[in-house]
Amino acid sequence: MINKQKCIALLFLPFFCFSSSAEYLSVGVDQSFLHEAPSDSTKKTFIVTKGYPLEVLVSLKEWKKVKDHQGAINWIPSNHLSSKKMVLNFKDNNPIYLEPNESSPTLAFVAENVVLEIVDNKRIDNWIKVYSKSTEVEGFISIENLWGIK
Protein backbone atom coordinates (compact mmCIF):
# COMPACT_ATOMS: atom_id res chain seq x y z
CA MET A 1 0.00 0.00 0.00
CA ILE A 2 1.33 3.44 -0.94
CA ASN A 3 1.09 5.93 1.88
CA LYS A 4 -0.18 9.48 1.39
CA GLN A 5 3.27 11.13 1.70
CA LYS A 6 4.81 8.95 -1.02
CA CYS A 7 1.85 9.62 -3.29
CA ILE A 8 2.22 13.40 -2.88
CA ALA A 9 5.99 13.18 -3.49
CA LEU A 10 5.44 11.19 -6.70
CA LEU A 11 2.82 13.68 -7.83
CA PHE A 12 5.25 16.62 -7.65
CA LEU A 13 8.33 14.75 -8.90
CA PRO A 14 7.99 15.95 -12.53
CA PHE A 15 8.18 19.58 -11.37
CA PHE A 16 11.58 19.01 -9.79
CA CYS A 17 13.19 17.02 -12.58
CA PHE A 18 15.55 19.03 -14.72
CA SER A 19 17.07 18.19 -18.03
CA SER A 20 20.72 17.22 -17.89
CA SER A 21 21.22 19.01 -21.20
CA ALA A 22 22.52 22.54 -20.79
CA GLU A 23 20.85 25.40 -22.61
CA TYR A 24 23.07 28.26 -23.71
CA LEU A 25 21.79 31.63 -24.85
CA SER A 26 23.69 34.80 -25.65
CA VAL A 27 23.24 38.42 -24.66
CA GLY A 28 21.15 40.03 -27.37
CA VAL A 29 21.44 43.69 -26.36
CA ASP A 30 24.48 45.98 -26.45
CA GLN A 31 24.94 45.60 -22.69
CA SER A 32 22.99 44.20 -19.78
CA PHE A 33 23.38 44.06 -16.03
CA LEU A 34 23.42 40.73 -14.22
CA HIS A 35 21.47 40.88 -10.95
CA GLU A 36 21.62 38.99 -7.64
CA ALA A 37 17.91 38.14 -7.86
CA PRO A 38 15.13 38.39 -10.46
CA SER A 39 14.31 42.07 -9.92
CA ASP A 40 15.65 45.39 -11.22
CA SER A 41 15.76 46.61 -7.62
CA THR A 42 18.38 44.03 -6.58
CA LYS A 43 22.15 44.53 -6.61
CA LYS A 44 23.75 44.63 -10.05
CA THR A 45 26.77 42.33 -10.04
CA PHE A 46 28.25 42.42 -13.57
CA ILE A 47 27.80 44.00 -16.98
CA VAL A 48 27.76 41.66 -19.97
CA THR A 49 27.91 42.72 -23.60
CA LYS A 50 26.24 41.57 -26.80
CA GLY A 51 27.07 38.03 -27.83
CA TYR A 52 28.35 36.86 -24.44
CA PRO A 53 27.17 33.26 -23.87
CA LEU A 54 25.36 32.29 -20.67
CA GLU A 55 24.12 28.93 -19.44
CA VAL A 56 20.43 29.04 -18.47
CA LEU A 57 19.72 27.31 -15.16
CA VAL A 58 16.15 28.49 -14.46
CA SER A 59 13.61 30.20 -16.71
CA LEU A 60 10.91 32.47 -15.37
CA LYS A 61 8.61 34.57 -17.52
CA GLU A 62 10.63 37.79 -17.29
CA TRP A 63 13.95 36.58 -15.86
CA LYS A 64 16.50 33.81 -16.37
CA LYS A 65 18.90 32.48 -13.78
CA VAL A 66 22.23 32.06 -15.59
CA LYS A 67 25.78 30.89 -15.05
CA ASP A 68 28.78 32.52 -16.74
CA HIS A 69 32.04 30.90 -17.82
CA GLN A 70 33.56 31.48 -14.37
CA GLY A 71 30.68 29.74 -12.61
CA ALA A 72 29.07 32.90 -11.19
CA ILE A 73 25.29 32.57 -10.94
CA ASN A 74 23.09 35.62 -11.48
CA TRP A 75 19.82 36.75 -13.07
CA ILE A 76 19.22 38.57 -16.35
CA PRO A 77 16.01 39.90 -17.92
CA SER A 78 14.72 37.32 -20.42
CA ASN A 79 14.25 39.94 -23.12
CA HIS A 80 18.00 40.74 -22.97
CA LEU A 81 18.85 37.26 -24.28
CA SER A 82 19.03 35.91 -27.80
CA SER A 83 18.86 32.38 -29.16
CA LYS A 84 21.91 33.15 -31.33
CA LYS A 85 24.48 30.50 -30.43
CA MET A 86 27.81 31.93 -29.32
CA VAL A 87 30.88 30.49 -27.59
CA LEU A 88 33.72 32.03 -25.61
CA ASN A 89 37.28 31.17 -26.61
CA PHE A 90 39.64 30.37 -23.69
CA LYS A 91 42.90 29.92 -25.58
CA ASP A 92 45.09 32.76 -26.82
CA ASN A 93 45.99 32.43 -30.51
CA ASN A 94 43.47 29.63 -30.96
CA PRO A 95 43.51 28.71 -34.67
CA ILE A 96 40.50 28.65 -36.96
CA TYR A 97 40.98 26.15 -39.78
CA LEU A 98 39.50 25.84 -43.25
CA GLU A 99 38.48 22.22 -42.55
CA PRO A 100 37.89 20.34 -39.26
CA ASN A 101 41.46 19.10 -38.77
CA GLU A 102 44.82 20.53 -37.74
CA SER A 103 46.48 19.70 -41.06
CA SER A 104 44.03 22.00 -42.85
CA PRO A 105 45.13 25.56 -43.73
CA THR A 106 44.89 28.02 -40.82
CA LEU A 107 42.58 30.95 -41.64
CA ALA A 108 43.09 33.05 -38.50
CA PHE A 109 44.11 33.03 -34.86
CA VAL A 110 41.62 34.11 -32.20
CA ALA A 111 42.61 35.90 -29.00
CA GLU A 112 41.62 34.66 -25.55
CA ASN A 113 38.14 35.72 -24.30
CA VAL A 114 36.85 36.47 -27.80
CA VAL A 115 33.24 35.55 -28.53
CA LEU A 116 32.62 33.46 -31.65
CA GLU A 117 29.31 32.80 -33.40
CA ILE A 118 28.40 29.18 -34.04
CA VAL A 119 27.60 28.87 -37.75
CA ASP A 120 26.53 25.23 -37.65
CA ASN A 121 25.63 23.28 -34.48
CA LYS A 122 26.66 20.02 -36.13
CA ARG A 123 29.91 18.73 -34.65
CA ILE A 124 32.49 16.92 -36.69
CA ASP A 125 34.35 14.94 -34.03
CA ASN A 126 35.52 17.72 -31.64
CA TRP A 127 35.19 20.53 -34.19
CA ILE A 128 32.53 23.18 -34.69
CA LYS A 129 32.08 25.74 -37.47
CA VAL A 130 32.28 29.32 -36.19
CA TYR A 131 32.43 32.90 -37.40
CA SER A 132 34.89 35.34 -35.84
CA LYS A 133 33.73 38.94 -36.10
CA SER A 134 37.15 40.20 -34.95
CA THR A 135 38.96 38.45 -37.83
CA GLU A 136 35.98 38.29 -40.24
CA VAL A 137 36.71 34.60 -40.80
CA GLU A 138 34.44 31.57 -40.92
CA GLY A 139 35.96 28.16 -40.31
CA PHE A 140 36.44 25.28 -37.91
CA ILE A 141 37.76 25.40 -34.36
CA SER A 142 38.33 22.68 -31.79
CA ILE A 143 35.73 22.75 -29.00
CA GLU A 144 38.44 21.86 -26.46
CA ASN A 145 39.01 25.50 -25.44
CA LEU A 146 35.50 26.87 -25.89
CA TRP A 147 32.77 27.61 -23.35
CA GLY A 148 29.09 27.80 -24.15
CA ILE A 149 28.56 24.62 -26.10
CA LYS A 150 26.88 21.39 -25.01
Side-chain angles (χ1 to χ4, degrees), residues 37-89:
S39 169
D40 282 324
S41 64
T42 61
K43 182 180 175 186
K44 296 171 182 155
T45 56
F46 296 103
I47 296 176
V48 287
T49 56
K50 191 170 191 164
Y52 186 84
L54 294 164
E55 181 181 357
V56 177
L57 304 175
V58 174
S59 291
L60 303 178
K61 183 178 178 183
E62 295 180 7
W63 290 87
K64 296 211 184 299
K65 187 176 190 177
V66 295
K67 181 166 60 169
D68 68 17
H69 74 283
Q70 295 178 324
I73 296 174
N74 291 283
W75 292 85
I76 188 169
S78 296
N79 63 354
H80 288 196
L81 293 172
S82 166
S83 60
K84 189 179 239 185
K85 299 301 180 193
M86 309 293 275
V87 289
L88 186 64
N89 174 50

Side-chain angles (χ1 to χ4, degrees), residues 120-139:
D120 187 350
N121 273 329
K122 182 182 172 192
R123 285 189 197 179
I124 300 172
D125 296 321
N126 283 334
W127 298 86
I128 193 88
K129 192 169 192 178
V130 296
Y131 173 74
S132 168
K133 189 175 180 180
S134 64
T135 61
E136 297 184 346
V137 167
E138 184 176 298

